[in-house]
Each structure stands twice: as structure tokens, then as C-alpha cells.
Amino acid sequence: MVKKYLTPLLQSSTDKVSGLSFLMLRIGACSLMVYLHGWPKIKNYWEGQNGLPELIGLSPESGLLLAIFAEVICSFLLALGFLTRIAVIPLSFTMVVATFIFNADQALIVKEKAILYLIVYLFFLVAGAGKYSIDHLLAQKINSAQSI
């Protein structure tokens, strides 16, 4: 029963070159997200500064905390390849909000980074984390335990 639900969630490409490519994309995108977006939001929160307006019915503080959760915690999960398909959901949602709500009236060039991050996150939602990930190790353990 557990295998039925977990295996599709954890499976992805097992090719070595693809796995290495997935690893580089995960680490690169997540490092940039944490360093350029998540960390400044944490500093703003600690200093009591919140530049976010009220969005989608959330208070500015709630929106900031959810963005921090997505941009820092979920980015670390994605970088590790742990619960990848689950971790990219808040990240994708944050990029949708950034693109179509927060920057709704801005030119496409302003929305470009959020759209590119969204494309990367949707890629991992569909493809999974790749061979060099915790998800891959978990899928192997589940499959080997099932065959015993």
C-alpha cells in the first residue's frame, strides 16, 4: 500500500548524466533562491521590516513567513532532493504569486526571474529529483523492501 503511493512520488530518471544535470540544476537554482531571495527576507523579518503588501488575503507578516518557508526551507529540501515533488509546490505557488499578483502590472522583463524559477520548479514537479537525490535512495529502499 505504501509503495503504491510513495514510488510514483519518489521516482525519476536513473541515468547518470541526467542525474548529474538534475543535481546541478537543483543546487544552482536553490542556492540562488536562498541567497538572493530567502536570506534577505529573513533579515527583513528579523529587523521588523516587511516590504510585502497584503496579498491573496494574507497579512503582510503571514505572506512574508510563507515566502520564507518556500524560499528557504523548501529550497533546502529541493537542493537535497528530499520530497522534491512536494517541496516544489510552495515554491511554484510563490513564483505564481510573484509573477501574476505581486508584479501583475509590471513589464515582462520584471517578471522574468520569477517565470524562470517557476519553469525550473515545474520541471522538477514533473521529472522528479534525479538519480543523485534522497528521493532516489528512498525509492530504492522501498522497492528493495517490497521485493523481499
Side-chain angles (χ1 to χ4, degrees):
M1 172 99 170
V2 172
K3 180 183 178 190
K4 177 182 174 184
Y5 295 106
L6 281 180
T7 301
L9 184 67
L10 300 173
Q11 282 181 332
S12 62
S13 174
T14 57
D15 174 72
K16 288 182 182 183
V17 174
S18 296
L20 187 58
S21 300
F22 284 30
L23 176 65
M24 291 182 340
L25 182 59
R26 284 194 337 260
I27 291 174
C30 293
S31 297
L32 290 171
M33 177 56 72
V34 171
Y35 183 73
L36 297 175
H37 301 282
W39 184 249
K41 285 181 178 72
I42 289 173
K43 286 179 25 182
N44 287 344
Y45 182 74
W46 284 337
E47 295 169 359
Q49 301 171 3
N50 186 357
L52 294 179
E54 184 175 311
L55 296 171
I56 60 171
L58 296 172
S59 70
E61 183 177 9
S62 297
L64 179 62
L65 289 172
L66 287 172
I68 289 170
F69 169 76
E71 294 175 3
V72 177
I73 305 300
C74 292
S75 288
F76 279 123
L77 292 174
L78 178 56
L80 293 171
F82 182 58
L83 302 175
T84 300
R85 289 188 169 107
I86 295 170
V88 296
I89 293 170
L91 286 162
S92 298
F93 183 76
T94 301
M95 294 305 105
V96 167
V97 169
T99 302
F100 300 109
I101 298 173
F102 187 74
N103 292 314
D105 58 345
Q106 300 293 320
L108 184 60
I109 193 75
V110 175
K111 301 175 186 183
E112 178 187 20
K113 279 192 288 186
I115 292 169
L116 287 171
Y117 277 114
L118 178 60
I119 291 167
V120 169
Y121 299 146
L122 293 176
F123 169 81
F124 285 114
L125 182 65
V126 172
K131 182 174 183 169
Y132 303 109
S133 65
I134 295 173
D135 286 352
H136 181 72
L137 294 173
L138 290 173
Q140 284 182 320
K141 285 191 183 281
I142 290 170
N143 289 334
S144 68
Q146 181 73 19
S147 64
I148 293 177

